[in-house]
């Protein structure tokens, strides 16, 4: 499997990264089978594993730790923090107080003494980025972390973090992890250009757009997306009665034709598309079963011609998200209506 360098870190990562979100209660509940999935990926040439403390409430990290016994030195290990790990309001976020606790918890669950890439899972509007970068820089200097990165950060916050790191003398974020697929291309507008500008590596997630590009949907023989496993808790992403999802289904039908004409499966077209962008370092694949992993491994090394990429552009224009909900993060300026409405003027009565 091809390798690429992660930004300016000098760390060599495989073109596919094994995403461990589905290892544990959220997917593969049997730990022995989950370990076999990890070993199958490593034996196929994948050297990078990405997990997070919140995946199955820490269980994913425990499974990854089991799988890496005796193989840790050969693996680039990435994990993330930010989301709540319990009911306490201080057991979440991007504060120094939580970071120094979260990293110790992750190290214990992973059964290791260092994390190769420690990532901020989402922005935290309640915490100054200077506070976050200061704490993360200390972790790198202590040897517990090798490099730091972000996940699903808007371009403006990526730029701000780079500026703060330079002005305050902190280590800077070396990687970003955004969602990116043929159906979700908004990051092409500013996130990917910002990452390239600052020499950041990019690990993308959801190349199959939450299963839309798995080959199960679209066309006369395609299944109904509403029957997808995830539709029960994410109906806004699969209900084809919604305009965005109807547009996705129409696009998938056309993309299946592109794949067939190119002699490829739709998943191969999907992973090949992501890896064709010059900003992308590695694409995260998150299988739930070994069969799913094997089918995705078969797409490694797919190279798309310019003509095929042009046909994809004609179906889903560059910089376009067909369904806004796939962005997975909206800043408070959009979600808090009080931040976008001027308060009523007060009338003073003397």
């Amino acid at each position: 499997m091809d390798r690429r360098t992660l930004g300016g870190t000098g760390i060599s990562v495989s073109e596919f990264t094994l995403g461990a979100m589905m290892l544990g209660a959220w997917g593969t509940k049997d730990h022995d089978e989950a370990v076999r999935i990890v070993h199958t990926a490593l034996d196929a040439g994948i050297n990078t594993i990405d997990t997070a403390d919140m995946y199955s409430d820490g269980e994913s990290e425990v499974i990854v730790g089991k799988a890496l016994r005796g193989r840790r030195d050969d693996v680039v290990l990435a994990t993330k923090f930010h989301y709540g790990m319990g009911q306490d309001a201080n057991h979440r976020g991007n504060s120094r107080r939580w970071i120094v606790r979260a990293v110790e918890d992750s190290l214990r669950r992973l059964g290791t003494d260092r994390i190769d890439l420690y990532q901020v899972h989402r922005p935290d509007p309640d915490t100054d980025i200077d506070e976050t970068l200061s704490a993360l820089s200390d972790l790198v200097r202590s040897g517990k972390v090798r490099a730091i990165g972000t996940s699903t950060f808007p371009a403006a916050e990526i730029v701000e973090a780079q500026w703060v790191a330079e002005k305050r003398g902190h280590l800077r974020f070396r990687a970003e992890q955004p969602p990116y697929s043929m159906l979700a291309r908004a990051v092409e507008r500013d996130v990917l250009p910002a990452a390239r500008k600052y020499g950041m590596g990019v690990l993308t997630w959801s190349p199959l757009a939450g299963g839309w590009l798995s080959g199960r949907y679209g066309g006369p023989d395609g299944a109904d997306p509403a029957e997808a496993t995830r539709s029960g808790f994410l109906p806004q992403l699969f209900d084809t009665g919604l305009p965005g999802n109807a547009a996705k289904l129409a696009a998938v039908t056309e993309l299946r034709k592109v794949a067939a004409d190119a002699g490829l499966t739709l998943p191969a077209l999907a992973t090949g598309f992501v890896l064709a962008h010059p900003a992308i370092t590695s694409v995260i694949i998150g299988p739930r079963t070994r069969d799913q992993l094997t089918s995705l491994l078969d797409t490694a090394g797919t190279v798309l011609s310019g003509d095929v990429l042009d046909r994809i552009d004609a179906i889903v224009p560059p910089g376009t998200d067909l369904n806004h909900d796939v962005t997975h993060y909206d800043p408070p300026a959009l979600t808090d209506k009080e931040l976008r409405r001027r308060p009523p003027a007060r009338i003073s009565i003397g």
Side-chain angles (χ1 to χ4, degrees):
M1 186 169 295
D2 287 345
R3 298 282 189 91
R4 300 179 180 185
T5 302
L6 184 67
T9 65
I11 299 173
S12 175
V13 299
S14 47
E15 66 179 270
F16 281 176
T17 290
L18 178 66
M21 187 177 77
M22 300 305 293
L23 304 184
W26 292 4
T28 309
K29 298 179 177 62
D30 183 284
H31 282 210
D32 290 338
E33 178 60 19
V35 167
R36 284 190 285 269
I37 289 173
V38 175
H39 287 171
T40 299
L42 298 180
D43 293 342
I46 289 179
N47 81 323
T48 311
I49 299 177
D50 177 76
T51 184
D53 55 5
M54 59 91 69
Y55 293 164
S56 295
D57 196 27
E59 188 181 4
S60 172
E61 288 187 325
V62 171
I63 291 170
V64 170
K66 289 180 180 179
L68 294 188
R69 289 173 187 166
R71 306 184 72 161
R72 174 66 184 91
D73 290 344
D74 299 323
V75 172
V76 178
L77 180 57
T79 191
K80 301 180 285 292
F81 70 91
H82 166 80
Y83 284 108
M85 296 294 288
Q87 299 302 311
D88 192 310
N90 286 319
H91 291 180
R92 66 194 66 201
N94 302 346
S95 69
R96 173 180 284 273
R97 186 182 191 277
W98 176 236
I99 289 170
V100 297
R101 164 72 181 275
V103 73
E104 295 297 340
D105 290 345
S106 286
L107 289 169
R108 172 177 48 79
R109 286 188 292 263
L110 290 164
T112 187
D113 61 353
R114 79 280 188 193
I115 294 166
D116 296 304
L117 178 62
Y118 200 38
Q119 301 154 108
V120 189
H121 212 153
R122 292 293 188 276
D124 179 0
D126 295 324
T127 304
D128 193 320
I129 191 63
D130 181 42
E131 170 92 356
T132 303
L133 283 167
S134 174
L136 291 173
S137 296
D138 288 346
L139 291 182
V140 175
R141 295 182 179 114
S142 74
K144 295 179 180 180
V145 170
R146 297 295 189 254
I148 57 176
T150 54
S151 176
T152 320
F153 266 48
E157 301 209 27
I158 291 173
V159 174
E160 180 188 10
Q162 295 288 328
W163 184 88
V164 170
E166 179 180 347
K167 295 298 181 182
R168 298 293 189 181
H170 302 315
L171 299 180
R172 61 191 183 90
F173 290 129
R174 289 293 195 169
E176 160 61 10
Q177 188 183 124
Y180 183 42
S181 72
M182 293 188 291
L183 303 181
R185 303 183 60 174
V187 293
E188 293 173 340
R189 289 183 175 272
D190 46 23
V191 170
L192 297 185
R196 291 193 75 187
K197 179 179 179 64
Y198 292 105
M200 300 171 68
V202 178
L203 312 174
T204 66
W205 54 277
S206 199
L208 301 187
W212 279 88
L213 299 172
S214 65
R216 294 194 298 270
Y217 313 118
D221 58 338
D224 183 351
E227 298 174 358
T229 303
R230 300 182 186 183
S231 64
F233 57 95
L234 291 171
Q236 72 275 18
L237 299 185
F238 296 94
D239 181 359
T240 52
L242 300 175
N245 292 328
K248 286 199 295 187
L249 187 58
V252 169
T253 299
E254 295 304 311
L255 290 168
R256 286 179 59 161
K257 297 175 185 176
V258 175
D261 290 345
L264 299 170
T265 63
L266 187 57
L269 186 75
T271 58
F273 167 80
V274 173
L275 287 167
H277 196 291
I280 306 307
T281 311
S282 181
V283 57
I284 299 172
I285 56 173
R288 183 176 54 83
T289 68
R290 272 189 289 170
D291 285 344
Q292 290 176 353
L293 172 61
T294 300
S295 65
L296 286 168
L297 289 172
D298 288 342
T299 72
T302 301
V303 177
L304 304 185
S305 69
D307 289 343
V308 170
L309 292 170
D310 287 344
R311 289 185 64 184
I312 295 171
D313 287 350
I315 296 167
V316 183
T320 300
D321 275 351
L322 293 184
N323 183 344
H324 173 73
D325 286 327
V326 302
T327 59
H328 298 279
Y329 175 77
D330 280 321
L334 296 181
T335 58
D336 186 349
K337 64 183 179 182
E338 300 302 326
L339 295 180
R340 40 187 180 79
R341 298 180 182 179
R342 187 184 297 276
R346 295 184 178 179
I347 300 176
S348 177
I349 301 177

